[in-house]
Amino acid sequence: MKKQVSLVFLLSLSAYAIEPEMNARIESLENRVENIELNQVLNKLNFGGSFFNQYESFYNKRSRTDLFASEPTKQALNDDHDQYLSTFFMRAELNFDLAVTNSLSFFSTLGMSKFWNNDGRQSRSNNEGASYKSLSGSYSIKDSTARFDVAYLRYHQKSSPWTFALGRMTTNYGPPLNQLDGLARTGTYPAMSYNVILDGVAAVYDFKEIFGGKNYFKLRLFYTPFLYIDQEDRSEQISKNNDQVDSQADLINFLGEFTSEVVPHIKRVNIFYSLYTVDGYYEENRQDSSKDGIEYEGTTANTLYLGLEDIAFSGLNLSYTYSQFSVRGSLVEGSANSYNHLFNINYTFDNSFNPGDIFGVEYIQNDDNKVPTDGTTLYVSDFYNQNNGEGYHLFYTLLIDRSQTMRIGYMNYHQRASEFYLNDIESTAQSTYLRWKAFF
């Protein structure tokens, strides 16, 4: 009996001694499982972003013309005061991309831009109607509120030439704007087609099986509706003089992309053609309040982008963008056409003194009737959105290291009066800026 009691006592002591070790092992196994699960989640996630601060000195000399000399009521619409601003502003953005499955991915960018110590601005421009503020997203330099500039799902199976996407897409900062910072193409559409953020549905067909080798061709079809909904009541239409505005205007964009890496003495040749058309859109600031009915408008735009990269493998890049806009509607007799051009030439240094630095120049010329399609470039000046004018932009980008750049630039442009936009002011603007940007 004593032996049995002793045996039970010894077994109890052994169990008591082993229990902490077992608990430790179980806890270790649980931690390992949690780490494996966390690693699996992190392997599906991709984080990144950027942060920049910019100083810009902007001067705009303005003078009134006699465009509306016989119509004093229109003449009073615009003032001719010179403008001088000395500003600091910043932008921060965080990218979160997730591989949901092997064929389904989610992409997002959360952004914020603001002037230093300034908050509560309403929009990017005083001519921006409520229905178009979405096009600028967080690029409006309004306040410190973060907004999603990208949020879309992409479906693509590796064996299929088709790709489908739905949501808020990368329709801004297209070529050649990415080259100013020495970046690969980030935006889908040429910047002169439109440089705004759009929500919609896209279908892409890749002809790589047909072309093969180092020639690439894709066709994109993108659909986005402009929506006109009362700002106070989401179930109400916008109205003007008791007339209700149609709640939707449909934009359809067709984009063909051809890229070749077999042209002698040129690393890469890009030829992009964009065609979009939209009818029945409503602009709050272009309504004649003295007339009954709604003044709807429509636009068809053709854009051709030609880009030559690393010419003669020397670091020299050259691009030319041509865009043609045709605006029609009750405020236009027949149609109003504009023909616009953007040249960009830049050189990346490859030597022991300043390797990776970029020096470049841009020249832009926009006709009257040019539709304002630049909603996300971050400058005080309106260089890319000017109407009935021309100008040039000099810039030098200093590569500090792999994650930092500093760019100094100078813009100078002249803008004439515009009958299309009821603007009787002629102006000459100059802008000097210094931008420091970090990537992570």
Side-chain angles (χ1 to χ4, degrees):
M1 183 66 181
K2 291 181 178 179
K3 291 181 178 180
Q4 292 176 345
V5 173
S6 299
L7 181 61
V8 170
F9 180 72
L10 290 172
L11 289 172
S12 299
L13 287 175
S14 299
Y16 180 79
I18 292 172
E19 184 176 356
E21 183 181 348
M22 289 295 293
N23 288 339
R25 291 181 65 187
I26 290 172
E27 184 178 356
S28 176
L29 287 171
E30 288 177 345
N31 289 336
R32 288 173 63 186
V33 170
E34 289 177 357
N35 287 335
I36 291 173
E37 292 175 345
L38 179 61
N39 287 333
Q40 288 177 342
V41 172
L42 292 177
N43 286 336
K44 291 183 177 182
L45 284 170
N46 182 30
F47 298 95
S50 66
F51 177 62
F52 90 68
N53 286 267
Q54 177 164 312
Y55 169 77
E56 184 169 353
S57 174
F58 174 74
Y59 174 67
N60 191 8
K61 182 176 178 57
R62 298 154 58 89
S63 59
R64 192 181 303 281
T65 69
D66 60 356
L67 181 63
F68 301 123
S70 60
E71 301 178 65
T73 56
K74 287 185 178 180
Q75 187 177 22
L77 288 175
N78 303 287
D79 66 71
D80 58 356
H81 297 135
D82 293 352
Q83 303 293 324
Y84 174 75
L85 289 88
S86 179
T87 66
F88 291 88
F89 57 91
M90 69 173 73
R91 173 167 173 81
E93 61 182 37
L94 299 174
N95 305 321
F96 304 92
D97 303 333
L98 172 65
V100 182
T101 66
N102 290 334
S103 56
L104 186 65
S105 300
F106 177 73
F107 302 90
S108 64
T109 297
L110 195 63
M112 175 275 290
S113 64
K114 70 182 296 294
F115 287 107
W116 287 11
N117 303 311
N118 185 286
D119 218 324
R121 297 183 63 256
Q122 294 301 309
S123 65
R124 189 178 174 94
S125 168
N126 60 358
N127 293 320
E128 192 173 47
S131 298
Y132 300 100
K133 292 180 181 179
S134 173
L135 305 181
S136 297
S138 70
Y139 289 84
S140 295
I141 324 183
K142 294 181 182 178
D143 51 39
S144 56
T145 303
R147 294 174 172 83
F148 277 99
D149 294 322
V150 176
Y152 73 94
L153 279 170
R154 184 187 69 185
Y155 178 79
H156 172 69
Q157 291 184 335
K158 291 184 179 180
S159 59
S160 172
W162 287 99
T163 300
F164 301 95
L166 171 69
R168 192 161 175 77
M169 300 188 205
T170 54
T171 52
N172 66 312
Y173 206 70
L177 299 183
N178 55 295
Q179 293 185 14
L180 276 65
D181 290 316
L183 301 177
R185 178 185 175 195
T186 54
T188 305
Y189 299 89
M192 286 284 280
S193 179
Y194 46 60
N195 185 34
V196 297
I197 303 171
L198 294 170
D199 313 323
V201 183
V204 185
Y205 190 89
D206 192 339
F207 289 85
K208 63 182 178 181
E209 295 296 332
I210 298 176
F211 282 78
K214 294 186 177 181
N215 289 318
Y216 312 94
F217 183 62
K218 291 182 180 179
L219 288 178
R220 298 178 187 267
L221 186 65
F222 180 69
Y223 163 77
T224 182
F226 291 111
L227 300 180
Y228 308 104
I229 302 167
D230 187 86
Q231 292 297 99
E232 305 296 331
D233 189 338
R234 66 178 185 272
S235 63
E236 290 285 337
Q237 292 174 258
I238 297 174
S239 63
K240 171 208 158 186
N241 295 344
N242 296 320
D243 291 316
Q244 291 184 321
V245 177
D246 292 342
S247 62
Q248 181 175 325
D250 299 319
L251 182 148
I252 297 176
N253 189 311
F254 167 86
L255 175 66
E257 308 173 19
F258 176 74
T259 297
S260 177
E261 297 177 351
V262 298
V263 177
H265 309 297
I266 299 177
K267 181 179 180 180
R268 187 178 294 111
V269 175
N270 296 308
I271 303 175
F272 304 151
Y273 170 69
S274 169
L275 166 66
Y276 77 76
T277 184
V278 56
D279 274 296
Y281 64 83
Y282 165 83
E283 289 204 44
E284 179 181 342
N285 296 301
R286 286 178 60 77
Q287 302 297 307
D288 189 342
S289 59
S290 65
K291 296 181 180 179
D292 293 331
I294 309 297
E295 284 79 41
Y296 293 106
E297 294 180 277
T299 298
T300 297
N302 293 272
T303 304
L304 178 65
Y305 172 83
L306 172 62
L308 308 179
E309 299 181 16
D310 204 3
I311 300 172
F313 304 101
S314 64
L316 180 66
N317 302 313
L318 176 66
S319 70
Y320 166 66
T321 311
Y322 167 81
S323 65
Q324 181 265 331
F325 291 84
S326 178
V327 181
R328 51 195 174 274
S330 53
L331 296 177
V332 180
E333 294 182 6
S335 64
N337 299 315
S338 67
Y339 307 92
N340 315 283
H341 313 269
L342 174 64
F343 296 88
N344 178 297
I345 181 170
N346 60 85
Y347 176 75
T348 303
F349 293 90
D350 183 16
N351 53 48
S352 59
F353 175 68
N354 56 350
D357 290 3
I358 303 169
F359 173 73
V361 59
E362 293 183 305
Y363 173 79
I364 193 169
Q365 185 270 315
N366 289 342
D367 277 354
D368 197 2
N369 314 320
K370 164 75 166 59
V371 175
T373 56
D374 175 41
T376 59
T377 52
L378 287 167
Y379 304 97
V380 174
S381 78
D382 223 7
F383 179 80
Y384 295 104
N385 230 11
Q386 61 181 286
N387 181 270
N388 197 18
E390 62 279 325
Y392 63 89
H393 174 202
L394 297 172
F395 62 92
Y396 187 93
T397 303
L398 174 68
L399 179 65
I400 300 175
D401 56 38
R402 290 186 177 181
S403 60
Q404 296 181 79
T405 61
M406 183 175 292
R407 177 164 21 115
I408 184 170
Y410 173 76
M411 297 174 173
N412 187 306
Y413 60 94
H414 179 75
Q415 190 167 227
R416 290 171 287 277
S418 169
E419 186 173 359
F420 184 73
Y421 288 103
L422 304 180
N423 177 25
D424 61 346
I425 299 298
E426 185 169 3
S427 64
T428 299
Q430 300 174 5
S431 173
T432 302
Y433 67 89
L434 178 65
R435 173 181 297 186
W436 170 78
K437 189 170 186 178
F439 304 87
F440 47 87

